[in-house]
């Protein structure tokens, strides 16, 4: 859903209705809503479908359901972190990298300021 929202961007905010394609603004809608490879009517159908999937009240409820389906995201992340088997090794590797960076920066000409 998030990908559709990002890709659709402002095109999802104001999608013309079917009536707009036959009403007094039809020539403008046909001109300004056409795509490089699709006429306005087809492009509007695609955006309507995307809106139903990613923006409608149903889509909003679906996003919340998916986000919280298996429980509180923060609690789940902490549980995964606590059960990750190699986290001590990874912490050590990060600390060693930082120490090497300090040693490099302490050398003459090794610091970020070029001293």
């Amino acid at each position: 859903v998030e990908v559709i929202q990002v890709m659709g961007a402002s095109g999802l905010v104001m999608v013309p209705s079917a009536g707009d394609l036959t009403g007094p603004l039809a020539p403008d809608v046909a001109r300004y809503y056409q795509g490089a490879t699709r006429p306005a009517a087809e492009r509007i159908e695609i955006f309507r479908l995307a809106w139903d999937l990613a923006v409608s009240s149903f889509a909003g409820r679906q996003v919340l359901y998916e986000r919280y389906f298996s429980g509180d995201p923060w609690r789940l992340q902490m549980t995964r972190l606590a059960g990750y088997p190699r986290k001590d090794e990874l912490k050590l590797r990060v600390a060693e990298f930082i120490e090497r960076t300090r040693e490099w920066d302490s050398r003459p000409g090794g610091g970020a300021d070029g001293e």
Side-chain angles (χ1 to χ4, degrees):
V1 170
E2 184 176 356
V3 171
I4 293 171
Q5 290 172 344
V6 170
M7 288 179 60
S10 64
L12 295 172
V13 175
M14 188 69 181
V15 182
S17 68
D20 291 329
L21 290 168
T22 58
L25 296 177
D28 290 332
V29 171
R31 179 177 181 184
Y32 294 112
Y33 278 89
Q34 69 181 332
T37 61
R38 299 208 184 262
E42 288 182 26
R43 189 165 178 258
I44 290 169
E45 288 175 336
I46 292 168
F47 271 97
R48 278 279 163 207
L49 176 60
W51 187 89
D52 284 340
L53 292 171
V55 184
S56 70
S57 59
F58 171 75
R61 289 190 301 273
Q62 186 66 24
V63 167
L64 288 175
Y65 173 77
E66 293 294 333
R67 188 167 288 146
Y68 297 107
F69 168 74
S70 53
D72 175 38
W74 288 102
R75 184 180 303 255
L76 291 171
Q77 289 175 3
M78 296 307 294
T79 301
R80 288 183 189 120
L81 176 64
Y84 189 75
R86 296 177 50 200
K87 70 179 176 227
D88 291 333
E89 175 191 338
L90 295 175
K91 286 179 184 179
L92 180 61
R93 289 172 63 185
V94 169
E96 289 170 352
F97 175 78
I98 291 171
E99 184 56 35
R100 285 194 314 269
T101 303
R102 286 185 190 134
E103 291 169 6
W104 180 266
D105 286 345
S106 68
R107 294 179 9 186
D113 57 9
E115 293 179 10

